[in-house]
Amino acid sequence: MNTIHSIDQNKGMSSQASLVLSTNKMIRNTYMLLSMTLLFSALTAAAAVAMKLPHPGIIITLIGYFGLLFLTSKFRDSALGLAFVFGLTGFMGYTLGPIVSHYLGLPNGGQIVMTAMGLTGAIFLGLSGYALTSRKDFSFMGGFLMVGMVVGFLAGLGAMFFEIPALSLTVSAVFVLLMSGLILYETSNIIHGGETNYIMATVTLFVSIFNLFTSLLHLLGFMNSDD
């Protein structure tokens, strides 16, 4: 009986060690790919700013984003998925370029952009670091975040089409909170095995960082204009 118990205990320890190694590999691959896509996106945004490219417009942006997101998801288990994730993040970088150009043209524009970038980095590192070290399970936030993002997206479209500045600012403030929650949620998902594909984990974290940055830009630009 003791021998059987010892065998079962060894199997349990081996299984746990394997799970830890798998999780660590998932974290390493996700953050490595995230770093690469952020750099690639920053380069495409910088190129768009340097060449003074116009914004493609809401229709092309939505088609490009959801089309590339669909392809990334469809091929997430193959090498082609890597090509599409760079296509998606590069396209998002291109759409970001004209937005950054707009804010750079404001009084203290450079300071606004750098402050938004610094806050984005601090929020992401702080929240992901907390989730990684505390290892708390934030999966309970999934439903709330999904509903919040759908409502926020629709409200953002409404604010854009009907030109309602107050609603647009409210949406930006709400998105700062939602994207912060999404960072906690997705990092927790990676740790606890809720997400096992590093390409899709990268996309989720990238989108949260992108939306966090643009929302902070909007809020900081508004406060600057008030000054």
Side-chain angles (χ1 to χ4, degrees), residues 139-166:
S139 59
F140 65 90
M141 299 172 66
F144 168 77
L145 289 172
M146 180 62 69
V147 172
M149 284 187 288
V150 170
V151 173
F153 175 73
L154 294 176
L157 289 178
M160 184 182 300
F161 286 118
F162 296 107
E163 298 182 353
I164 309 174

Side-chain angles (χ1 to χ4, degrees), residues 72-95:
T72 302
S73 179
K74 181 177 177 63
F75 295 100
R76 59 185 170 183
D77 294 317
S78 69
L80 199 54
L82 286 171
F84 283 122
V85 79
F86 277 99
L88 172 63
T89 55
F91 176 74
M92 292 177 74
Y94 157 60
T95 64

Side-chain angles (χ1 to χ4, degrees), residues 5-6 10 12 14 24 37 47-48 76 98 108 158-159 166 172 180-181 188:
H5 177 72
S6 178
N10 288 336
S14 176
N24 289 340
T37 53
R76 59 185 170 183
N108 300 319
S172 292
S180 297
S188 171

Side-chain angles (χ1 to χ4, degrees), residues 25-38 86 198 202:
K25 182 181 178 182
M26 174 70 178
I27 293 170
R28 183 174 63 253
N29 288 345
T30 298
Y31 282 90
M32 185 179 297
L33 182 58
L34 179 63
S35 299
M36 294 169 66
T37 53
L38 284 171
F86 277 99
Y198 72 96
T202 296

Side-chain angles (χ1 to χ4, degrees), residues 127-139:
L127 292 176
S128 58
Y130 174 73
L132 286 168
T133 54
S134 69
R135 305 190 78 81
K136 288 186 177 180
D137 187 355
F138 291 98
S139 59

Side-chain angles (χ1 to χ4, degrees), residues 112 119 169 216-227:
I112 293 171
L119 286 173
L169 286 169
L216 287 170
L217 262 183
H218 188 197
L219 293 171
L220 290 170
F222 173 77
M223 288 189 286
N224 181 78
S225 67
D226 264 4
D227 295 337

Side-chain angles (χ1 to χ4, degrees), residues 45 48-49 52-56 93-103:
V49 171
K52 298 180 180 179
L53 297 178
H55 195 277
Y94 157 60
T95 64
L96 180 62
I99 297 173
V100 172
S101 291
H102 166 74
Y103 285 100

